[in-house]
Coordinates of all heavy atoms in Angstrom, one line a residue:
T1 N 179.5 216.1 -138.6 CA 180.9 216.5 -138.3 C 180.9 217.2 -137.0 O 179.9 218.0 -136.7 CB 181.5 217.4 -139.4 OG1 181.5 216.6 -140.6 CG2 182.9 217.8 -139.0
I2 N 181.8 216.9 -136.2 CA 181.8 217.5 -134.8 C 183.3 217.9 -134.5 O 184.2 217.2 -134.8 CB 181.2 216.7 -133.7 CG1 181.2 217.4 -132.4 CG2 182.0 215.3 -133.6 CD1 180.3 216.7 -131.4
S3 N 183.5 219.1 -133.9 CA 184.8 219.5 -133.5 C 184.7 220.0 -132.1 O 183.7 220.5 -131.6 CB 185.3 220.6 -134.4 OG 184.6 221.7 -134.4
F4 N 185.8 219.8 -131.3 CA 185.9 220.2 -130.0 C 187.2 221.0 -129.7 O 188.2 220.6 -130.3 CB 186.0 219.0 -129.0 CG 184.9 218.0 -129.2 CD1 185.1 216.8 -130.0 CD2 183.7 218.1 -128.5 CE1 184.2 215.9 -130.1 CE2 182.7 217.1 -128.7 CZ 182.9 216.0 -129.5
N5 N 187.1 222.0 -128.9 CA 188.3 222.6 -128.4 C 188.2 222.7 -126.9 O 187.3 223.3 -126.3 CB 188.4 224.1 -129.0 CG 189.7 224.8 -128.6 OD1 190.7 224.1 -128.4 ND2 189.6 226.1 -128.5
L6 N 189.1 221.9 -126.3 CA 189.0 221.7 -124.8 C 189.9 222.5 -124.0 O 191.0 222.9 -124.5 CB 189.3 220.1 -124.6 CG 188.6 219.2 -125.4 CD1 189.1 217.8 -125.1 CD2 187.1 219.2 -125.3
D7 N 189.5 222.9 -122.8 CA 190.4 223.4 -121.8 C 190.3 222.7 -120.6 O 189.6 221.7 -120.4 CB 190.2 224.9 -121.7 CG 188.8 225.2 -121.1 OD1 188.2 224.5 -120.3 OD2 188.2 226.3 -121.4
D8 N 191.0 223.1 -119.5 CA 191.1 222.4 -118.3 C 190.3 223.1 -117.2 O 190.5 222.8 -116.0 CB 192.4 222.2 -117.8 CG 193.3 223.5 -117.6 OD1 192.6 224.5 -117.8 OD2 194.5 223.4 -117.3
T9 N 189.3 223.9 -117.4 CA 188.5 224.6 -116.5 C 187.0 224.2 -116.5 O 186.1 225.0 -116.4 CB 188.6 226.1 -116.7 OG1 188.1 226.4 -118.0 CG2 190.0 226.6 -116.5
L10 N 186.8 222.9 -116.8 CA 185.4 222.4 -116.9 C 184.7 223.2 -118.1 O 183.6 223.7 -118.0 CB 184.5 222.5 -115.7 CG 183.2 221.8 -115.7 CD1 183.4 220.3 -115.9 CD2 182.4 222.0 -114.5
G11 N 185.5 223.3 -119.2 CA 184.9 224.1 -120.3 C 185.5 223.8 -121.6 O 186.2 222.8 -121.7
G12 N 185.3 224.6 -122.6 CA 185.7 224.4 -123.9 C 184.6 224.8 -124.9 O 183.7 225.6 -124.6
S13 N 184.7 224.3 -126.2 CA 183.7 224.7 -127.2 C 183.6 223.5 -128.1 O 184.4 222.7 -128.2 CB 184.1 225.9 -128.0 OG 185.3 225.7 -128.6
S14 N 182.4 223.5 -128.7 CA 182.1 222.5 -129.7 C 181.4 223.0 -130.8 O 180.6 224.0 -130.7 CB 181.4 221.2 -129.1 OG 180.1 221.6 -128.6
H15 N 181.4 222.4 -132.0 CA 180.7 222.7 -133.2 C 180.2 221.5 -133.9 O 181.0 220.6 -134.2 CB 181.5 223.6 -134.1 CG 180.8 224.1 -135.3 ND1 181.4 224.6 -136.4 CD2 179.5 224.5 -135.5 CE1 180.5 225.1 -137.3 NE2 179.3 225.0 -136.7
I16 N 178.9 221.4 -134.2 CA 178.4 220.2 -134.9 C 177.6 220.6 -136.1 O 176.8 221.6 -136.0 CB 177.3 219.4 -133.9 CG1 178.1 219.0 -132.7 CG2 176.8 218.3 -134.6 CD1 177.1 218.4 -131.6
T17 N 177.8 220.0 -137.2 CA 177.1 220.3 -138.4 C 176.6 218.9 -139.0 O 177.3 217.9 -138.9 CB 177.9 221.0 -139.4 OG1 179.1 220.2 -139.8 CG2 178.4 222.4 -139.0
A18 N 175.4 219.0 -139.7 CA 174.9 217.8 -140.3 C 173.9 218.2 -141.4 O 173.2 219.1 -141.2 CB 174.2 216.8 -139.3
S19 N 174.1 217.6 -142.5 CA 173.1 217.9 -143.6 C 171.8 217.2 -143.4 O 170.7 217.6 -143.7 CB 173.7 217.5 -145.0 OG 174.1 216.2 -145.0
S20 N 171.9 216.0 -142.8 CA 170.6 215.2 -142.5 C 170.9 214.1 -141.5 O 171.9 213.4 -141.6 CB 170.2 214.5 -143.8 OG 169.0 213.8 -143.6
L21 N 170.1 214.0 -140.5 CA 170.0 213.0 -139.4 C 168.6 212.5 -139.3 O 167.7 213.3 -139.3 CB 170.6 213.6 -138.2 CG 172.1 213.8 -138.0 CD1 172.4 214.6 -136.9 CD2 172.9 212.5 -138.0
S22 N 168.5 211.3 -139.1 CA 167.1 210.7 -139.0 C 167.0 209.9 -137.7 O 168.0 209.1 -137.4 CB 166.8 209.9 -140.2 OG 165.5 209.2 -140.0
V23 N 165.9 210.0 -137.0 CA 165.7 209.1 -135.8 C 164.3 208.7 -135.8 O 163.3 209.4 -136.0 CB 165.9 210.0 -134.5 CG1 165.6 209.1 -133.3 CG2 167.4 210.5 -134.4
A24 N 164.1 207.4 -135.8 CA 162.8 206.8 -135.7 C 162.5 206.2 -134.4 O 163.4 205.5 -133.9 CB 162.7 205.7 -136.9
I25 N 161.5 206.5 -133.8 CA 161.1 206.0 -132.4 C 159.8 205.3 -132.4 O 158.9 205.7 -132.9 CB 160.9 207.3 -131.5 CG1 162.1 208.3 -131.6 CG2 160.7 206.9 -130.1 CD1 161.7 209.7 -131.3
T26 N 159.9 204.1 -131.7 CA 158.7 203.3 -131.5 C 158.7 202.9 -130.0 O 159.6 202.3 -129.6 CB 158.8 202.0 -132.4 OG1 158.9 202.4 -133.7 CG2 157.4 201.3 -132.2
S27 N 157.6 203.3 -129.3 CA 157.5 203.0 -127.9 C 156.0 202.9 -127.5 O 155.2 203.3 -128.3 CB 158.2 204.1 -127.1 OG 157.4 205.3 -127.0
P28 N 155.7 202.4 -126.4 CA 154.4 202.4 -125.9 C 153.8 203.7 -125.8 O 152.6 203.9 -126.0 CB 154.5 201.7 -124.5 CG 155.7 200.9 -124.5 CD 156.7 201.8 -125.4

């Protein structure tokens, strides 16, 4: 879940929550 509160001065705030996220990476 993500929320944003924006303003017009190159700014604002955000809040991110997650119970579980997974990233699998395969590379040389």
Side-chain angles (χ1 to χ4, degrees):
T1 299
I2 184 165
S3 61
F4 307 95
N5 187 26
L6 312 178
D7 63 32
D8 58 2
T9 61
L10 192 61
S13 61
S14 65
H15 187 202
I16 302 172
T17 59
S19 59
S20 181
L21 285 167
S22 176
V23 180
I25 307 157
T26 305
S27 76

